[in-house]
Amino acid sequence: MNLRILNGESNHGSSRSGAYAQRNTDDHPPAHTPGYKTSVLRSPRNALISIAQTLTEVTAPHFSEDKFGPKDNDLILNCVQDGLPIGERIIIHGYVRDQFGRAVKNALLEVWQANASGRYRHPNDQYIGTLDPNFGGCGRMLTDENGFYVFRTIRPGPYPWRNRINEWRPAHIHFSVIADGWAQRLISQLYFEGDTLIDSCPILKTVPTDEQRRALIALEDKSNFIEADSRCYRFDINLRGRRSTYFENDLT
Amino acid sequence: MKNQAFDEWRETPSQTGGPYVHIGLLPKQADIDVFEHNFGNSLVDDKTEGQRIRLEGQVFDGLGIPLRDVLIEIWQADANGVYAGNADPQGTSADSGFSGWGRAAADFGTGFWHFDTIKPGCVPGRKGSTQAPHIALVVFARGVNIGLNTRVYFDDETDANAKDPVLNSIEWVKRRETLIARREDRDGERIYRFDIRIQGEDETVFFDI
């Protein structure tokens, strides 16, 4: 038997050399969720095929700091034309960690959202809510060595959409994370504490448990409000984590 | 039923990328000019080593209609089978002219997407095995609650494909064909066509990685 004991730090800076823990499908929406009508024709009929991870699934691209502009994480200022955008000034911050509690460093976090009217700057959005000439609605950042991130924005408005005819999304911000392993790739949405539309949203209801739905709600972070300037929300993100290998390493 | 607490968190649940996914991930496609450096669908520059290829296709729903709001990302090794990520333990360094990752959206009119990249080399599999050349691909869109992971293999790699551990782990031999891109040479350019069928007849194999 080829028994190799791997030193934690020997693996090119990663102290965990095994596979990512299995995704718990009960913690996520199923693909086919008839209450969210578009999913009906856009969900596979076959079961997913689970595979044993290889180098392909445990590696991921690296993004270097110098490709980022100074206002990439400031949605209040990164698209201004002739003044500030209209709406509630908020800061959102938090930590990205893996399921074992370890900080996820240098992860690419990208966000996008509607403006204060609930209108998106997108060619396919025809909602009567007005566009804001000083608001773009996208931003991006890298987490620091503690897994911390922070961005500033205008709180998005709720908006109507055609699922049932009178459906309304709660205020939300879309986010995307690319971290250390392709298996961690995640896109989701964050909501705001206290929004009454949260309880009636068919997209949030695709998440099967109340505990997991609550994991998508950003919390009011009062002591971090900035006087006469901005309010603050706290939102943490958890990704899948890698196990260590203390016996055989079958990954390669 | 829990009778013991571990210090372990649940993964943040996935939600659909929605119809306006381009605003955040490909702002140029939504006519938004905010970033100086934008991500895109070209993985090659003058310094990249390897055979240039174009990977293209469409994504179809359960009625056979192309998704025109779909977003696709790929992740692949360089021409020597080495990943640019920090987690590749092979010991050789990757091609410094190749990041291995790209992002594309379907055309709003036709639903066609494409990447300009290189053909990847063979990557080690588990337990000393060798994987056939492949590109990892993930699909995000309105109506898709969690990103759909698949792999692209090449129809001119018959021998390597026959020995590939992941393809061989698909019990339904007929379904393996849905992962093989078809080569065509067009004006001296090497094209691989890879169509993705999310649902129904010839449904593409999707993986839980």
Side-chain angles (χ1 to χ4, degrees):
Chain A
M1 186 160 67
N2 174 25
L3 181 79
R4 280 191 286 166
I5 309 280
L6 291 183
N7 177 314
E9 298 303 322
S10 69
N11 186 22
H12 294 258
S14 164
S15 61
R16 304 215 167 179
S17 49
Y20 284 91
Q22 163 177 292
R23 174 166 272 160
N24 186 354
T25 44
D26 292 338
D27 285 341
H28 292 276
H32 181 253
T33 48
Y36 173 30
K37 297 180 182 181
T38 316
S39 75
V40 172
L41 284 171
R42 293 183 170 199
S43 48
R45 285 295 165 268
N46 286 286
L48 298 182
I49 294 179
S50 296
I51 60 171
Q53 287 161 22
T54 70
L55 290 183
T56 307
E57 288 74 36
V58 303
T59 51
H62 173 76
F63 300 93
S64 77
E65 187 88 60
D66 55 18
K67 299 278 190 216
F68 290 73
K71 291 175 186 159
D72 281 8
N73 69 338
D74 187 352
L75 285 72
I76 290 184
L77 294 183
N78 72 14
C79 205
V80 294
Q81 306 293 323
D82 54 12
L84 292 171
I86 289 172
E88 300 177 31
R89 298 167 61 87
I90 57 171
I91 290 165
I92 298 182
H93 67 174
Y95 292 88
V96 182
R97 299 193 189 91
D98 74 14
Q99 70 195 93
F100 303 114
R102 304 195 324 162
V104 177
K105 307 167 188 177
N106 283 312
L108 172 66
L109 176 61
E110 295 166 286
V111 298
W112 66 101
Q113 60 166 97
N115 67 20
S117 302
R119 176 76 183 270
Y120 282 94
R121 187 170 288 281
H122 190 284
N124 296 336
D125 189 0
Q126 302 298 323
Y127 174 42
I128 190 174
T130 190
L131 274 174
D132 185 331
N134 295 307
F135 190 74
C138 56
R140 60 188 187 182
M141 65 223 84
L142 294 173
T143 57
D144 73 10
E145 67 275 14
N146 299 311
F148 179 76
Y149 74 89
V150 56
F151 67 97
R152 183 163 79 157
T153 190
I154 295 294
R155 182 177 158 130
Y159 68 87
W161 59 299
R162 200 162 174 179
N163 188 56
R164 294 173 297 184
I165 197 65
N166 199 13
E167 212 81 81
W168 288 75
R169 297 300 322 277
H172 64 278
I173 297 178
H174 297 265
F175 64 92
S176 160
V177 192
I178 300 180
D180 301 313
W182 192 243
Q184 294 174 302
R185 184 78 185 87
L186 181 72
I187 286 183
S188 191
Q189 305 178 24
L190 72 83
Y191 304 89
F192 294 90
E193 184 178 10
D195 187 338
T196 53
L197 287 166
I198 284 173
D199 290 336
S200 59
C201 177
I203 288 181
L204 187 51
K205 277 183 186 166
T206 63
V207 177
T209 66
D210 195 43
E211 181 187 356
Q212 284 293 81
R213 287 190 289 270
R214 283 201 305 269
L216 293 177
I217 299 175
L219 302 176
E220 189 177 67
D221 185 357
K222 261 194 176 138
S223 52
N224 273 309
F225 286 11
I226 298 174
E227 59 275 17
D229 190 323
S230 300
R231 287 185 298 143
C232 184
Y233 284 88
R234 166 72 182 258
F235 184 71
D236 293 342
I237 297 167
N238 302 324
L239 302 179
R240 292 167 73 185
R242 274 182 99 166
R243 298 189 301 263
S244 306
T245 46
Y246 299 106
F247 302 101
E248 294 85 350
N249 190 338
D250 291 335
L251 195 64
T252 55
Chain B
M1 263 196 298
K2 274 189 194 170
N3 57 6
Q4 195 177 6
F6 289 93
D7 280 337
E8 187 176 322
W9 304 93
R10 292 174 186 278
E11 187 187 8
T12 297
S14 178
Q15 292 265 266
T16 178
Y20 309 132
V21 65
H22 318 86
I23 293 176
L25 302 187
L26 287 172
K28 290 271 194 189
Q29 185 139 352
D31 296 322
I32 299 175
D33 191 12
V34 165
F35 304 133
E36 191 179 337
H37 294 278
N38 285 278
F39 304 130
N41 62 349
S42 176
L43 288 74
V44 292
D45 64 24
D46 301 343
K47 289 171 288 181
T48 312
E49 297 167 29
Q51 164 75 50
R52 264 60 176 170
I53 64 168
R54 179 179 160 122
L55 179 67
E56 66 177 27
Q58 290 170 298
V59 181
F60 299 97
D61 70 11
L63 287 179
I65 296 167
L67 273 60
R68 296 175 303 166
D69 53 9
V70 67
L71 184 113
I72 290 176
E73 288 178 1
I74 57 172
W75 171 237
Q76 64 167 102
D78 69 10
N80 296 312
V82 182
Y83 283 103
N86 296 327
D88 190 329
Q90 292 185 74
T92 41
S93 53
D95 176 0
S96 58
F98 189 66
S99 74
W101 174 84
R103 175 182 281 166
D107 180 88
F108 288 150
T110 64
F112 273 99
W113 52 267
H114 78 272
F115 291 92
D116 294 315
T117 183
I118 52 120
K119 193 168 177 191
C122 291
V123 176
R126 295 173 66 83
K127 301 184 189 182
S129 63
T130 301
Q131 304 186 69
H134 65 277
I135 296 176
L137 184 153
V138 65
V139 175
F140 296 104
R142 173 172 69 105
V144 175
N145 289 325
I146 185 162
L148 293 167
N149 283 290
T150 187
R151 282 182 170 205
V152 182
Y153 290 85
F154 303 93
D155 70 346
D156 51 6
E157 296 286 348
T158 320
D159 293 346
N161 290 343
K163 294 181 200 136
D164 183 79
V166 171
L167 284 174
N168 283 315
S169 75
I170 302 168
E171 179 187 344
W172 305 271
V173 177
K174 182 179 158 46
R175 297 202 67 206
R176 295 177 194 170
E177 295 165 20
T178 67
L179 302 183
I180 315 288
R182 308 288 163 200
R183 176 172 165 182
E184 41 186 280
D185 293 303
R186 191 188 303 155
D187 305 328
E189 210 184 345
R190 189 186 289 195
I191 317 278
Y192 290 93
R193 174 77 186 252
F194 187 72
D195 286 330
I196 298 167
R197 293 174 177 80
I198 292 185
Q199 181 188 102
E201 202 175 339
D202 296 324
E203 184 174 298
T204 300
V205 168
F206 296 108
F207 295 112
D208 167 26
I209 60 172

